[in-house]
């Protein structure tokens, strides 16, 4: 008897691509949703939940990302220094000027599942228009 079951990807069979996405003028949340889908591999027909089938994503021009509404003043980056009284909160508008790469990485990480597959390690974010990954021949992805 022949069984026609579902296809399950195996770690050795996965072909990974590299994509370059220009963040200039894009909304942070909408761009992060597209990036998280590519990182997890949900844009491929071979998606398997327990195997990392995603691709690498390079985001350039993170300093020119757009914040809609009042997110620049009302959304905060919360962290703790580890010392007593070390709670800090910085508004996103200030963070875009000082560390735009970290802000976008933080937004994408919030959209990824919390499991042992480290999808965030395949995300490369750069504030300017250049990146050091030309050897991987990345494809430009228009969104």
């Amino acid at each position: 008897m022949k069984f026609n079951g579902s296809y399950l990807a195996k770690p050795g069979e996965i072909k990974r691509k590299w994509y370059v996405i220009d963040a200039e003028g894009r909304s942070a949340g909408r761009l992060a949703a597209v990036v998280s889908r590519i990182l997890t591999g949900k844009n491929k027909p071979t998606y398997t939940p327990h195997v990392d089938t995603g691709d690498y994503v390079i985001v350039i021009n993170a300093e020119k990302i757009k914040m809609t509404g009042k997110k620049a003043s009302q959304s905060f980056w919360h962290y703790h220094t580890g010392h007593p009284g070390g709670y800090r909160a910085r508004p996103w508008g200030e963070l875009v000027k000082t560390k735009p790469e970290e802000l976008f990485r933080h937004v994408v990480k919030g959209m990824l599942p919390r499991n042992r597959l480290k999808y965030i390690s395949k995300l490369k974010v750069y504030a300017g228009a250049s990146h050091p990954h030309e050897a991987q021949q990345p494809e430009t992805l228009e969104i």
Side-chain angles (χ1 to χ4, degrees):
M1 186 165 119
K2 188 174 179 182
F3 175 68
N4 292 329
S6 298
Y7 173 77
L8 295 176
K10 294 166 191 65
E13 299 174 349
I14 299 164
K15 303 267 191 282
R16 298 197 196 281
K17 288 185 172 182
W18 285 72
Y19 294 107
V20 174
I21 299 176
D22 190 3
E24 183 175 357
R26 304 276 182 199
S27 173
R30 290 179 188 260
L31 182 63
V34 172
V35 169
S36 66
R37 236 178 127 64
I38 295 170
L39 290 174
T40 56
K42 288 187 176 183
N43 61 333
K44 296 180 176 182
T46 58
Y47 171 71
T48 306
H50 65 279
V51 179
D52 184 5
T53 57
D55 296 321
Y56 289 87
V57 178
I58 304 164
V59 178
I60 57 174
N61 290 325
E63 62 192 4
K64 298 176 184 173
I65 204 159
K66 187 171 67 173
M67 297 282 174
T68 58
K70 297 181 180 178
K71 287 186 193 74
S73 61
Q74 291 181 350
S75 294
F76 291 91
W77 171 283
H78 303 280
Y79 64 99
H80 198 283
T81 62
H83 296 286
Y87 171 75
R88 303 285 188 268
R90 294 174 62 191
W92 279 13
E94 178 186 324
L95 206 60
V96 166
K97 295 173 187 160
T98 57
K99 296 183 191 177
E101 309 96 353
E102 292 301 318
L103 176 64
F104 188 73
R105 187 182 317 276
H106 177 72
V107 173
V108 171
K109 190 173 180 180
M111 294 187 180
L112 292 173
R114 280 98 175 140
N115 58 19
R116 65 177 59 213
L117 303 174
K118 304 295 182 206
Y119 297 119
I120 198 72
S121 64
K122 294 185 304 208
L123 175 66
K124 315 297 181 194
V125 185
Y126 298 99
S130 63
H131 61 85
H133 302 286
E134 290 300 327
Q136 283 76 25
Q137 289 114 17
E139 298 177 20
T140 303
L141 190 64
E142 294 297 326
I143 298 172

